[in-house]
Amino acid sequence: MAAAAVDSAMEVVPALAEEAAPEAAGLSCLVNLPGEVLEYILCSGSLTAADIGRVSSTCRRLRELCQSSGKVWKEQFRVRWPSLMKHYSPTDYVNWLEEYKVRQKAGLEARKIVASFSKRFFSEHVPCNGFSDIENLEGPEIFFEDELVCILNMEGRKALTWKYYAKKILYYLRQQKILNNLKAFLQQPDDYESYLEGAVYIDQYCNPLSDISLRDIQAQIDSIVELVCKTLRGINSRHPSLAFKAGESSMIMEIELQSQVLDAMNYVLYDQLKFKGNRMDYYNALNLYMHQVLIRRTGIPISMSLLYLTIARQLGVPLEPVNFPSHFLLRWCQGAEGATLDIFDYIYIDAFGKGKQLTVKECEYLIGQHVTAALYGVVNVKKVLQRMVGNLLSLGKREGIDQSYQLLRDSLDLYLAMYPDQVQLLLLQARLYFHLGIWPEKVCDTPFGQQEALSEATMFGVSTTPQELQVRHMYASSHAARCRSSCPPPSCPCLAMGIC
């Protein structure tokens, strides 16, 4: 009976969309239906936003059902732009009709700008100031980005030029936002130790077109923590870590209880989930991206250590990162709280080597050389990120296939965001842009301070003809080499020691 009523009403709705007069024949039949049935019909997906607008103009009953914050307009928004729903909380009040209008307007603006890019920069590289129109857009940035993604996902080989510029604009927008977030993150106090958050920013910046978020990565880690708790429950059903709630930062002080957590972690990570150090493809940038480490279940010492550290801390084990040369490690304190400790009061954990626990002698054997006690010390978040970006920078210099040098460009941007006065890297960035023939204005606008040689080298790289560019680039390269030989080496140890 109810199905027949719905079918009958569905036949009436198109007529209502065309007739404005309330006296239409089927109106009384429609409005007398229960509210739930009417709502079901209006949310069925067969009506467009224009249809809903016409239906809501017929009478008070239908206007109330199609109220701006109600289920009908929410469904219209969801069907049209499903990827945006994750940005809304179920508990928030949302004017869905207004959101629909704003998103529609943002989409039109996005397409207008992409079309203008196609006309303006068809025969040249997009300059830095070419993105100024985008930065001045009104409305939520996520709406604009969503429209760019829609353009990229257009089927077949349609609008290839639009897709090309949509990708460039989306790349720029997301990288600028991530870079600003990273700079704000680096301004946190030294005791703010969210190593995972910093690593995710690096991951996002190098993969701006991928859907990577701290929330999703944390959710994956939380699922691993649940497996560890299940194993831990079999070892010690009364273990205090089992009582921890999500978001708690309590630490367990008893060494024996900490050891039980680490044993459970090693079993889950390396035996059950088969995580391992990537010895076969060590020099692959994917080993440094946290979302790829979780997907591929492999990485290099620093990425495996950050995963291990994050899980351990969630379960109450206060591990600390050690910027050990050539092989990133974690340390686990064995001394009494408050006592004066030295390097022999710690056990060092090799997350790359399946959580193996090492003494000081074994650490030196691992890298084949004796090191000073200072290199066994703990490092803060910024130093950890510096080492990660330094690894990416080293990999970027090894690029031979990708002629755009995208990894090198991204890692230089990240490193200079952390250390803007690194003269050698500023020189490398200038030479790279000149080599690619892009963005000379970006180099000239960089605050180089008192580095006259650098200013001279970059200014001579700007040309108006290909012949001038070739001659001046040769001069800039040779001049930069002389400047580089007179500058002190960068402070990052991993630049000199390779990927670790």
Side-chain angles (χ1 to χ4, degrees):
M1 191 73 178
V6 170
D7 291 340
S8 174
M10 290 298 291
E11 294 174 1
V12 173
V13 171
L16 288 175
E18 297 176 359
E19 300 179 20
E23 294 80 15
L27 181 60
S28 59
C29 175
L30 183 67
V31 297
N32 289 331
L33 290 173
E36 293 82 0
V37 176
L38 276 173
E39 198 171 68
Y40 176 81
I41 295 170
L42 295 173
C43 294
S44 63
S46 60
L47 301 178
T48 66
D51 293 333
I52 296 298
R54 296 187 188 102
V55 168
S56 63
S57 301
T58 57
C59 69
R60 181 180 297 176
R61 175 92 191 280
L62 292 176
R63 184 168 63 251
E64 290 174 352
L65 276 172
C66 299
Q67 59 180 311
S68 58
S69 59
K71 184 177 179 180
V72 175
W73 278 110
K74 179 180 180 180
E75 184 64 13
Q76 284 289 322
F77 189 93
R78 186 196 67 80
V79 170
R80 184 76 183 275
W81 302 292
S83 62
L84 290 174
M85 296 305 294
K86 64 185 179 183
H87 299 287
Y88 298 93
S89 171
T91 59
D92 291 343
Y93 171 83
V94 180
N95 187 326
W96 291 106
L97 175 57
E98 188 62 30
E99 291 291 290
Y100 192 102
K101 292 178 180 178
V102 174
R103 171 60 182 85
Q104 181 77 1
K105 182 180 178 180
L108 295 174
E109 286 291 323
R111 289 177 176 268
K112 181 179 176 181
I113 288 177
V114 172
S116 72
F117 267 60
S118 179
K119 294 177 181 178
R120 287 187 292 164
F121 308 119
F122 186 77
S123 59
E124 60 177 320
H125 194 280
V126 181
C128 288
N129 57 9
F131 297 100
S132 58
D133 294 343
I134 304 167
E135 296 172 347
N136 299 325
L137 282 174
E138 297 180 359
E141 195 173 90
I142 57 171
F143 289 174
F144 189 79
E145 290 183 10
D146 187 67
E147 185 64 29
L148 295 174
V149 172
C150 290
I151 294 173
L152 288 176
N153 292 335
M154 291 171 64
E155 294 182 1
R157 298 179 60 83
K158 297 178 182 178
L160 291 181
T161 304
W162 274 41
K163 290 182 180 180
Y164 174 79
Y165 287 107
K167 181 178 179 180
K168 278 188 174 296
I169 295 169
L170 186 60
Y171 214 94
Y172 174 84
L173 270 178
R174 288 187 173 175
Q175 283 198 325
Q176 290 303 305
K177 181 170 63 177
I178 295 163
L179 206 59
N180 291 335
N181 291 339
L182 176 61
K183 289 177 180 178
F185 173 79
L186 294 172
Q187 298 301 316
Q188 299 284 351
D190 289 341
D191 58 353
Y192 185 77
E193 296 186 334
S194 181
Y195 298 94
L196 180 66
E197 183 179 351
V200 170
Y201 282 135
I202 293 174
D203 191 350
Q204 290 174 328
Y205 191 83
C206 294
N207 302 281
L209 301 184
S210 300
D211 188 13
I212 302 167
S213 69
L214 177 61
R215 181 178 59 184
D216 291 343
I217 290 177
Q218 184 62 62
Q220 293 180 64
I221 292 176
D222 289 343
S223 66
I224 298 175
V225 170
E226 289 179 9
L227 292 176
V228 175
C229 287
K230 184 178 180 180
T231 302
L232 187 59
R233 192 172 288 107
I235 298 173
N236 181 356
S237 61
R238 297 177 177 271
H239 199 284
S241 293
L242 299 175
F244 288 174
K245 296 180 181 179
E248 286 187 349
S249 58
S250 303
M251 291 296 164
I252 301 168
M253 304 315 298
E254 294 83 353
I255 300 297
E256 179 59 31
L257 294 176
Q258 293 178 9
S259 179
Q260 291 174 358
V261 172
L262 296 182
D263 288 342
M265 282 178 55
N266 289 341
Y267 171 76
V268 171
L269 283 173
Y270 304 112
D271 295 335
Q272 188 174 345
L273 298 179
K274 307 298 181 184
F275 277 85
K276 61 180 180 180
N278 195 348
R279 301 179 188 275
M280 300 298 295
D281 192 17
Y282 194 85
Y283 298 99
N284 188 332
L286 298 180
N287 293 324
L288 281 154
Y289 303 145
M290 294 308 296
H291 83 284
Q292 287 290 344
V293 171
L294 290 166
I295 291 171
R296 300 161 72 235
R297 300 189 180 184
T298 189
I300 61 172
I302 191 167
S303 57
M304 294 292 290
S305 293
L306 290 185
L307 174 62
Y308 199 99
L309 172 71
T310 303
I311 296 171
R313 288 196 169 191
Q314 282 190 219
L315 292 170
V317 182
L319 300 185
E320 298 173 304
V322 177
N323 213 9
F324 202 66
S326 300
H327 199 100
F328 200 89
L329 296 172
L330 302 170
R331 73 179 192 181
W332 173 29
C333 182
Q334 303 294 296
E337 184 180 3
T340 302
L341 306 174
D342 60 24
I343 61 173
F344 298 100
D345 292 313
Y346 293 89
I347 287 177
Y348 301 89
I349 297 176
D350 179 14
F352 182 81
K354 296 190 174 183
K356 185 177 181 181
Q357 297 177 6
L358 308 171
T359 64
V360 171
K361 282 289 185 183
E362 289 171 327
C363 290
E364 294 179 352
Y365 180 78
L366 182 67
I367 63 171
Q369 66 182 63
H370 174 73
V371 296
T372 61
L375 294 177
Y376 289 91
V378 66
V379 287
N380 61 19
V381 174
K382 190 173 182 179
K383 289 294 183 182
V384 173
L385 300 186
Q386 178 186 7
R387 180 152 175 171
M388 290 190 79
V389 175
N391 287 340
L392 288 170
L393 188 57
S394 297
L395 290 174
K397 292 176 182 178
R398 295 165 61 99
E399 282 182 323
I401 300 175
D402 183 6
Q403 295 303 309
S404 68
Y405 296 97
Q406 191 61 57
L407 179 58
L408 181 56
R409 290 161 61 182
D410 291 344
S411 54
L412 281 169
D413 289 342
L414 288 167
Y415 205 105
L416 290 171
M418 294 188 287
Y419 300 96
D421 297 326
Q422 279 283 348
V423 177
Q424 286 186 314
L425 297 185
L426 287 167
L427 274 169
L428 176 58
Q429 188 180 60
R431 288 160 52 211
L432 177 62
Y433 287 157
F434 291 143
H435 173 73
L436 297 173
I438 61 172
W439 292 357
E441 70 277 13
K442 181 174 181 179
V443 179
C444 294
D445 290 341
T446 305
F448 293 143
Q450 304 300 318
Q451 301 297 334
E452 297 180 1
L454 181 56
S455 298
E456 183 180 0
T458 55
M459 288 300 294
F460 269 89
V462 181
S463 62
T464 55
T465 67
Q467 292 79 12
E468 286 181 33
L469 179 59
Q470 184 177 6
V471 172
R472 293 179 181 180
H473 174 61
M474 291 173 60
Y475 174 83
S477 297
S478 61
H479 191 87
R482 292 197 300 274
C483 292
R484 190 167 62 254
S485 64
S486 63
C487 293
S491 59
C492 179
C494 56
L495 290 180
M497 297 177 186
I499 311 304
C500 47

